[in-house]
Each structure stands twice: as structure tokens, then as C-alpha cells.
Amino acid sequence: MFKGAITALVTPFRNGQVDEKALRDLIEFQIAGGIDGLVPCGTTGESPTLTHDEHDRVIEITIDAAKKRVPVIAGTGSNSTAEALRLTKHAYEAGADGALIACPYYNKPTQEGLFQHFQLIAQNVPIPIIPYNIPGRTGVNMSPELIARLAKISNIVGIKEASGSLKQMNDVLDLCGPEFDVLSGDDGLTLPLMAMGGRGIISVASNVIPADMSRLVDALAEERLAEGRALHQKMSPLFDVLFVETNPIPVKAALAMMEKIEYEYRLPLCKMASGNYDKLKKVMKNYGLIS
């Protein structure tokens, strides 16, 4: 159902408020670059520091701005099942095409608790759901066996896999079958995952380079591996530097360098350390993104 290069959108701020114009302009930049989908209010969108009203509004803006040109997969995760359920219901009612639901963080639920969390939401909201496995942020890993159990629920259609383990990704592909969309959560692992049978990437880097991410995924999907390898090598320095500090700190700094958003975050996220900022600026210049 969901495949290709999908952008995990940043949430632009101006003077402490969501910058609606910058968000709409960023969405146009993404679609013009050939991106295959948009994820508002994910980790990259600083969802933990958005109010519920802001969270709802960012999703509504994205749906309105996309105008059905590409799917909108709303980020609706929370460490509270009741809260995640409310956010997912809103996304469905607002007209989102799907929901990306991060594994509950901090609670450290058991595998059975995780199953019941996703099952309850899926049973109560008839929207395509993609769980998001990112143990580095949540403190718990969704096992391949758990993901295979969830894949049997009709509206759980895929997984965003950011465990960092190619073995885990391969096990998920084997256990869940070809109808289940396995998407990378790490830009640098797009090539090996797609070579194993994955469907694409929910990307941070595509905020900055949507056209190149789209070309990479298209090349890999069409088994043009030489072209895919060349694009991967070209983008690798950018992949690395965009995670030199906690996401989305570097990618928002990069977009600010490109004059697409203000250089602004919400605490506890803050501007980059000067040395890392200089590293990012150098890579951006070498890539030809800034002068």
C-alpha cells in the first residue's frame, strides 16, 4: 500500500509558533521533487513538544496542502494507548491516508503489551496503520515474531523498521510475506533493505534532497543497482552528517541554511554545537545545496 521515498516532515516554527506558510512551501518542495508520501508529526516533526491542537493542525495542513497528490501518513504515536487512539481517530477523520504509530516509549511494555496496544488502535480506527520500531528512542524492540502477529491484522499494512539490524529486517521480510510493506527508518540502510525486498524509506534526508531520494528508491525498485549504488554513495556524507546530533536538529539546520525554514526548535532540542554546524555546512556546500 505504501512504498517509495516518503518524507518524515519537519515542523517549521517561527517565534515559537507553527509556521504554516513554511510548512506548506516545504510540502510543495517535496512533491515537486517527486516524493511518494508525507509523514507529518513523526519524531522528525518534533511531535513530543507539539500541543494536541498543534498536532491536529499540522496534520490538517499537510492533508490540505497535499491535495491527494501523494499519500499523507499521519504520525499518531504516544506512550499512552488512549492518547495514540485519540490522535489516530483524528487523523482518520481529517482524511489521512494512513497512520504511523511509534512503539510506546519510556513505558518499556512487553511484547504482549505492544501487541495489545497496536491491536486496540487498529480495531477501533479503520485506517491503514504502520507501526514504527525504533528501539533507540523507545527503549524496547518489536521482535520479528511480534511484527508477524500484527501483520495478520487487516489494517496493519507495514512497518517502519529503524532497529538498525539488517538481520531483523530480513527476518521481518521472511515472516510477513510480500504483501506487507517493510520500510526503512534509516536513510543509510535504504539500499540494503530494498535489495532484500523492502518497499522504500520513510526518510529524514528527503526533507533536504527529495529529488535524489526519489531517484534512489526508483532505481532500486527497478533493479538498476549500479545507479542506486552511485546515488547512495553520493548521498552518504549527507546521511551521516544529518545524524551528527539528535534528529531533527541537523536537518532543520540544513533547511534553514537553504532558507526554507527558520532555524528554530522547541526545548529540550536546541541549535547545533558550532563544530557540528560547520561540518554540516561543509557537506551542504560540497553537495551543491548551498553556496
Side-chain angles (χ1 to χ4, degrees):
M1 178 173 286
F2 299 116
K3 62 182 180 179
I6 300 167
T7 300
L9 288 167
V10 304
T11 302
F13 298 123
R14 182 184 290 269
N15 300 322
Q17 304 299 313
V18 174
D19 187 340
E20 179 172 333
K21 182 182 184 304
L23 177 57
R24 289 180 179 274
D25 289 347
L26 185 60
I27 289 165
E28 292 304 318
F29 174 59
Q30 295 298 309
I31 293 173
I35 217 70
D36 297 302
L38 300 167
V39 175
C41 297
T43 307
T44 307
E46 292 176 80
S47 57
T49 53
L50 297 178
T51 68
H52 279 214
D53 286 345
E54 288 172 331
H55 194 288
D56 292 350
R57 182 63 183 146
V58 168
I59 289 170
E60 290 163 4
I61 291 167
T62 306
I63 292 166
D64 180 66
K67 292 180 171 58
K68 294 295 182 183
R69 290 174 289 175
V70 297
V72 174
I73 308 165
T76 62
S78 171
N79 66 330
S80 160
T81 302
E83 186 173 289
L85 178 60
R86 191 210 71 79
L87 293 169
T88 307
K89 283 181 176 177
H90 168 265
Y92 169 68
E93 291 165 359
D97 300 285
L100 179 72
I101 303 180
C103 183
Y105 48 88
Y106 193 79
N107 313 67
K108 297 191 76 172
T110 63
Q111 298 295 294
E112 181 59 29
L114 290 173
F115 177 79
Q116 292 188 27
H117 171 83
F118 287 107
Q119 180 188 51
L120 185 145
I121 297 168
Q123 288 176 340
N124 284 278
V125 190
I127 192 172
I129 289 171
I130 301 174
Y132 178 13
N133 185 37
I134 181 164
R137 292 258 191 177
T138 64
V140 62
N141 183 53
M142 299 176 68
S143 71
E145 292 76 18
L146 167 64
I147 296 167
R149 282 182 74 193
L150 291 171
K152 295 175 183 176
I153 298 171
S154 62
N155 59 324
I156 295 183
V157 300
I159 184 82
K160 180 180 178 183
E161 235 302 322
S163 65
S165 167
L166 287 173
K167 182 184 185 308
Q168 164 136 341
M169 294 176 184
N170 192 59
D171 289 346
V172 170
L173 287 162
D174 285 345
L175 289 172
C176 295
E179 299 304 312
F180 192 71
D181 300 331
V182 181
L183 302 166
S184 178
D186 295 294
D187 287 299
L189 295 182
T190 308
L191 188 155
L193 176 62
M194 291 193 70
M196 293 189 299
R199 293 281 171 79
I201 171 75
I202 297 180
S203 171
V204 173
S206 59
N207 279 280
V208 178
I209 49 167
D212 276 356
M213 272 318 289
S214 296
R215 281 193 284 269
L216 171 65
V217 171
D218 288 348
L220 295 172
E222 295 167 11
E223 298 187 0
R224 292 181 275 117
L225 292 180
E227 181 181 346
R229 282 195 299 267
L231 284 163
H232 173 84
Q233 292 301 325
K234 175 188 176 184
M235 292 186 281
S236 285
L238 190 61
F239 294 162
D240 291 342
V241 79
L242 287 177
F243 289 89
V244 71
E245 291 188 13
T246 302
N247 179 54
I249 293 173
V251 72
K252 291 191 86 173
L255 287 166
M257 290 177 191
M258 296 168 71
E259 300 183 345
K260 294 194 176 295
I261 66 171
E262 294 295 311
Y263 187 24
E264 189 172 329
Y265 309 86
R266 280 194 178 158
L267 288 170
L269 299 187
C270 63
K271 292 182 178 180
M272 296 184 76
S274 58
N276 286 333
Y277 185 88
D278 290 343
K279 289 177 187 176
L280 173 62
K281 192 171 185 179
K282 182 179 179 181
V283 173
M284 294 283 287
K285 283 183 176 179
N286 290 342
Y287 204 99
L289 293 167
I290 59 174
S291 58

